[in-house]
Amino acid sequence: MPVPSAPALDSTLVSLARDSLGARIDPIGARLDSLIYSRDDGDPVELLYRREPEPDLPTDAPGSNGQWHRRYAGGWHTLVPHSGDERTVDGVAQPFHGEAAWKTWRVAAASTAPGSAARVHASVTLDTVPIRLERVFELFGTTLRITQRATNLGERPQPISWAEHPAFAPPLVGPGLGITLGESVLPLHVPAPPETHGAFAAYPCGAIGRAVLDNPVSGLRVTLEWDAELFPYAFIWQEHRASQGSPWHGIADILAVEPSVRPYDPEDERLGPLVIAPGDTIATTFTLTLA
């Protein structure tokens, strides 16, 4: 796949659209800021949770954990080379949910031939580990495809963690939503009861990397697919208008499905179980399809 020339390094959102889907990518973290589905029988629907923090947020939140939640804008992040609480590994501080989500990537729309998918290419080289990341967004009909590559630029094997963090919102999220992970229907109540309003759980996804979110009430059905051998776990996070503290204040309605290479809590002192040999590249694809 060709890499577009002379991508710009700035904070301008980059848009792409094709058929019934429209998307917008934020150079900060190469975050998918918006994914809009235009139904034939209704108004366009925003599928992702979106929040617009104030640009002059105070910086008194404790550490990167606090800063992340204070500045959380929703959407779909990639979490590399670490996910979860901030920690120090080999003397290097790793911020909450990994350096890649905090850095400004080079992002540019690539030229496409007639009849091909719309495409946006993003790239960044990390500082905490010698890893170069590339993230390519493409649209095909009612499918979003994200292809991501991680290349070890160093001279030693590099362990990393890796998780994807798509956060969905109403009308997909809400009463009537059912979730199937792999071949199993998850025992989730949506919205979650008050005592579990901040519910978070990690599930092994089995042989099939697939989550189906089906809401017959809203008429929306979304299928998220990934490589289950590379990402054998999926985290499910729910936040349904019950948490009154910052930053939710009882107004956030979110459900995230997060493929991950490891359980949420690290199992050893390494950054993660995924080890990239010097000069090697790991490439994988995530698709999100509307039905």
Side-chain angles (χ1 to χ4, degrees):
M1 181 179 297
V3 176
S5 60
L9 183 61
D10 59 33
S11 58
T12 304
L13 298 178
V14 178
S15 297
L16 67 161
R18 185 173 176 83
D19 300 326
S20 58
L21 287 180
R24 189 166 59 242
I25 292 87
D26 183 355
I28 300 176
R31 178 181 64 92
L32 182 64
D33 172 71
S34 173
L35 183 63
I36 294 178
Y37 173 50
S38 297
R39 297 192 283 194
D40 294 336
D41 59 348
D43 295 330
V45 176
E46 173 64 68
L47 298 170
L48 300 178
Y49 171 74
R50 299 183 65 248
R51 173 175 170 265
E52 297 184 8
E54 294 298 326
D56 57 347
L57 285 169
T59 58
D60 58 354
S64 64
N65 286 30
Q67 284 295 311
W68 172 276
H69 289 93
R70 186 77 63 84
R71 298 175 182 272
Y72 181 61
W76 181 340
H77 292 82
T78 184
L79 312 182
V80 182
H82 170 63
S83 61
D85 292 338
E86 59 189 25
R87 59 194 291 242
T88 298
V89 180
D90 295 330
V92 178
Q94 298 289 342
F96 184 80
H97 275 354
E99 181 192 358
W102 296 76
K103 287 184 73 77
T104 299
W105 297 44
R106 295 184 180 274
V107 178
S111 60
T112 56
S116 66
R119 184 194 307 157
V120 167
H121 178 276
S123 64
V124 72
T125 299
L126 303 180
D127 296 315
T128 59
V129 291
I131 296 293
R132 174 178 170 80
L133 299 174
E134 294 176 272
R135 191 162 163 88
V136 178
F137 302 82
E138 297 172 284
L139 298 177
F140 300 88
T142 58
T143 295
L144 163 73
R145 181 171 71 189
I146 300 177
T147 302
Q148 187 156 317
R149 299 175 179 84
T151 301
N152 183 359
L153 304 178
E155 298 181 347
R156 295 182 296 178
Q158 180 60 59
I160 64 170
S161 185
W162 183 347
E164 295 294 306
H165 196 289
F168 302 101
L172 174 63
V173 173
L177 177 64
I179 304 177
T180 303
L181 180 62
E183 297 177 330
S184 301
V185 177
L186 293 183
L188 292 180
H189 181 282
V190 181
E195 64 271 16
T196 60
H197 58 73
F200 180 91
Y203 298 87
C205 64
I208 301 175
R210 181 190 301 132
V212 179
L213 284 68
D214 188 7
N215 192 330
V217 175
S218 64
L220 294 170
R221 177 186 173 96
V222 170
T223 300
L224 175 66
E225 295 183 284
W226 65 89
D227 181 350
E229 184 175 353
L230 190 59
F231 297 86
Y233 298 93
F235 308 145
I236 306 292
W237 165 48
Q238 296 187 76
E239 176 58 53
H240 297 300
R241 298 182 180 275
S243 294
Q244 296 300 319
S246 175
W248 314 123
H249 303 296
I251 59 177
D253 205 351
I254 315 167
L255 189 141
V257 180
E258 308 168 33
S260 174
V261 300
R262 64 163 171 82
Y264 188 78
D265 294 319
E267 297 177 303
D268 53 39
E269 294 304 312
R270 297 182 302 171
L271 263 178
L274 188 60
V275 180
I276 308 178
D280 279 2
T281 297
I282 292 178
T284 193
T285 298
F286 309 90
T287 62
L288 186 71
T289 301
L290 275 293

PDB file of all heavy atoms in Angstrom, residues 182-194:
ATOM      1  N   GLY A 182     -17.402 -13.316  20.103  1.00  0.00           N
ATOM      2  CA  GLY A 182     -17.099 -14.625  19.540  1.00  0.00           C
ATOM      3  C   GLY A 182     -18.396 -15.345  19.228  1.00  0.00           C
ATOM      4  O   GLY A 182     -19.216 -14.873  18.453  1.00  0.00           O
ATOM      5  N   GLU A 183     -18.600 -16.462  19.883  1.00  0.00           N
ATOM      6  CA  GLU A 183     -19.830 -17.227  19.690  1.00  0.00           C
ATOM      7  C   GLU A 183     -20.715 -17.203  20.930  1.00  0.00           C
ATOM      8  O   GLU A 183     -21.679 -17.951  21.024  1.00  0.00           O
ATOM      9  CB  GLU A 183     -19.492 -18.668  19.315  1.00  0.00           C
ATOM     10  CG  GLU A 183     -18.740 -18.786  18.005  1.00  0.00           C
ATOM     11  CD  GLU A 183     -18.341 -20.202  17.658  1.00  0.00           C
ATOM     12  OE1 GLU A 183     -18.108 -20.997  18.587  1.00  0.00           O
ATOM     13  OE2 GLU A 183     -18.261 -20.506  16.456  1.00  0.00           O
ATOM     14  N   SER A 184     -20.389 -16.337  21.896  1.00  0.00           N
ATOM     15  CA  SER A 184     -21.114 -16.315  23.160  1.00  0.00           C
ATOM     16  C   SER A 184     -21.857 -14.998  23.339  1.00  0.00           C
ATOM     17  O   SER A 184     -21.317 -13.920  23.057  1.00  0.00           O
ATOM     18  CB  SER A 184     -20.141 -16.505  24.343  1.00  0.00           C
ATOM     19  OG  SER A 184     -19.449 -17.729  24.219  1.00  0.00           O
ATOM     20  N   VAL A 185     -23.088 -15.082  23.808  1.00  0.00           N
ATOM     21  CA  VAL A 185     -23.842 -13.881  24.161  1.00  0.00           C
ATOM     22  C   VAL A 185     -23.394 -13.441  25.542  1.00  0.00           C
ATOM     23  O   VAL A 185     -23.468 -14.209  26.505  1.00  0.00           O
ATOM     24  CB  VAL A 185     -25.353 -14.148  24.146  1.00  0.00           C
ATOM     25  CG1 VAL A 185     -26.115 -12.902  24.576  1.00  0.00           C
ATOM     26  CG2 VAL A 185     -25.797 -14.597  22.765  1.00  0.00           C
ATOM     27  N   LEU A 186     -22.900 -12.214  25.650  1.00  0.00           N
ATOM     28  CA  LEU A 186     -22.360 -11.764  26.926  1.00  0.00           C
ATOM     29  C   LEU A 186     -23.465 -11.522  27.943  1.00  0.00           C
ATOM     30  O   LEU A 186     -24.541 -11.024  27.592  1.00  0.00           O
ATOM     31  CB  LEU A 186     -21.569 -10.469  26.736  1.00  0.00           C
ATOM     32  CG  LEU A 186     -20.284 -10.585  25.922  1.00  0.00           C
ATOM     33  CD1 LEU A 186     -19.581  -9.248  25.876  1.00  0.00           C
ATOM     34  CD2 LEU A 186     -19.362 -11.628  26.502  1.00  0.00           C
ATOM     35  N   PRO A 187     -23.199 -11.832  29.206  1.00  0.00           N
ATOM     36  CA  PRO A 187     -24.197 -11.593  30.266  1.00  0.00           C
ATOM     37  C   PRO A 187     -24.197 -10.139  30.713  1.00  0.00           C
ATOM     38  O   PRO A 187     -23.861  -9.804  31.839  1.00  0.00           O
ATOM     39  CB  PRO A 187     -23.722 -12.519  31.386  1.00  0.00           C
ATOM     40  CG  PRO A 187     -22.234 -12.570  31.207  1.00  0.00           C
ATOM     41  CD  PRO A 187     -21.999 -12.500  29.714  1.00  0.00           C
ATOM     42  N   LEU A 188     -24.556  -9.247  29.785  1.00  0.00           N
ATOM     43  CA  LEU A 188     -24.562  -7.824  30.099  1.00  0.00           C
ATOM     44  C   LEU A 188     -25.978  -7.274  30.081  1.00  0.00           C
ATOM     45  O   LEU A 188     -26.804  -7.677  29.268  1.00  0.00           O
ATOM     46  CB  LEU A 188     -23.723  -7.038  29.090  1.00  0.00           C
ATOM     47  CG  LEU A 188     -22.218  -7.265  29.108  1.00  0.00           C
ATOM     48  CD1 LEU A 188     -21.565  -6.398  28.054  1.00  0.00           C
ATOM     49  CD2 LEU A 188     -21.635  -6.957  30.471  1.00  0.00           C
ATOM     50  N   HIS A 189     -26.231  -6.353  30.987  1.00  0.00           N
ATOM     51  CA  HIS A 189     -27.484  -5.621  30.990  1.00  0.00           C
ATOM     52  C   HIS A 189     -27.173  -4.201  30.547  1.00  0.00           C
ATOM     53  O   HIS A 189     -26.322  -3.528  31.120  1.00  0.00           O
ATOM     54  CB  HIS A 189     -28.091  -5.618  32.401  1.00  0.00           C
ATOM     55  CG  HIS A 189     -29.403  -4.899  32.489  1.00  0.00           C
ATOM     56  ND1 HIS A 189     -29.504  -3.538  32.530  1.00  0.00           N
ATOM     57  CD2 HIS A 189     -30.672  -5.363  32.534  1.00  0.00           C
ATOM     58  CE1 HIS A 189     -30.769  -3.181  32.615  1.00  0.00           C
ATOM     59  NE2 HIS A 189     -31.499  -4.271  32.615  1.00  0.00           N
ATOM     60  N   VAL A 190     -27.806  -3.754  29.483  1.00  0.00           N
ATOM     61  CA  VAL A 190     -27.535  -2.423  28.953  1.00  0.00           C
ATOM     62  C   VAL A 190     -28.823  -1.624  28.936  1.00  0.00           C
ATOM     63  O   VAL A 190     -29.802  -2.035  28.316  1.00  0.00           O
ATOM     64  CB  VAL A 190     -26.962  -2.502  27.526  1.00  0.00           C
ATOM     65  CG1 VAL A 190     -26.654  -1.115  26.999  1.00  0.00           C
ATOM     66  CG2 VAL A 190     -25.709  -3.373  27.496  1.00  0.00           C
ATOM     67  N   PRO A 191     -28.905  -0.472  29.607  1.00  0.00           N
ATOM     68  CA  PRO A 191     -27.854   0.078  30.471  1.00  0.00           C
ATOM     69  C   PRO A 191     -27.617  -0.784  31.712  1.00  0.00           C
ATOM     70  O   PRO A 191     -28.507  -1.495  32.160  1.00  0.00           O
ATOM     71  CB  PRO A 191     -28.405   1.454  30.874  1.00  0.00           C
ATOM     72  CG  PRO A 191     -29.445   1.762  29.880  1.00  0.00           C
ATOM     73  CD  PRO A 191     -30.029   0.447  29.478  1.00  0.00           C
ATOM     74  N   ALA A 192     -26.400  -0.712  32.234  1.00  0.00           N
ATOM     75  CA  ALA A 192     -26.059  -1.481  33.425  1.00  0.00           C
ATOM     76  C   ALA A 192     -26.854  -0.991  34.619  1.00  0.00           C
ATOM     77  O   ALA A 192     -27.194   0.182  34.711  1.00  0.00           O
ATOM     78  CB  ALA A 192     -24.559  -1.339  33.718  1.00  0.00           C
ATOM     79  N   PRO A 193     -27.193  -1.890  35.540  1.00  0.00           N
ATOM     80  CA  PRO A 193     -27.886  -1.453  36.749  1.00  0.00           C
ATOM     81  C   PRO A 193     -27.054  -0.458  37.545  1.00  0.00           C
ATOM     82  O   PRO A 193     -25.835  -0.380  37.360  1.00  0.00           O
ATOM     83  CB  PRO A 193     -28.083  -2.749  37.540  1.00  0.00           C
ATOM     84  CG  PRO A 193     -27.398  -3.818  36.804  1.00  0.00           C
ATOM     85  CD  PRO A 193     -26.921  -3.301  35.497  1.00  0.00           C
ATOM     86  N   PRO A 194     -27.678   0.351  38.408  1.00  0.00           N
ATOM     87  CA  PRO A 194     -26.955   1.425  39.113  1.00  0.00           C
ATOM     88  C   PRO A 194     -25.715   0.954  39.850  1.00  0.00           C
ATOM     89  O   PRO A 194     -24.700   1.652  39.875  1.00  0.00           O
ATOM     90  CB  PRO A 194     -28.004   1.970  40.087  1.00  0.00           C
ATOM     91  CG  PRO A 194     -29.310   1.649  39.442  1.00  0.00           C
ATOM     92  CD  PRO A 194     -29.120   0.342  38.731  1.00  0.00           C
TER      93      PRO A 194
END
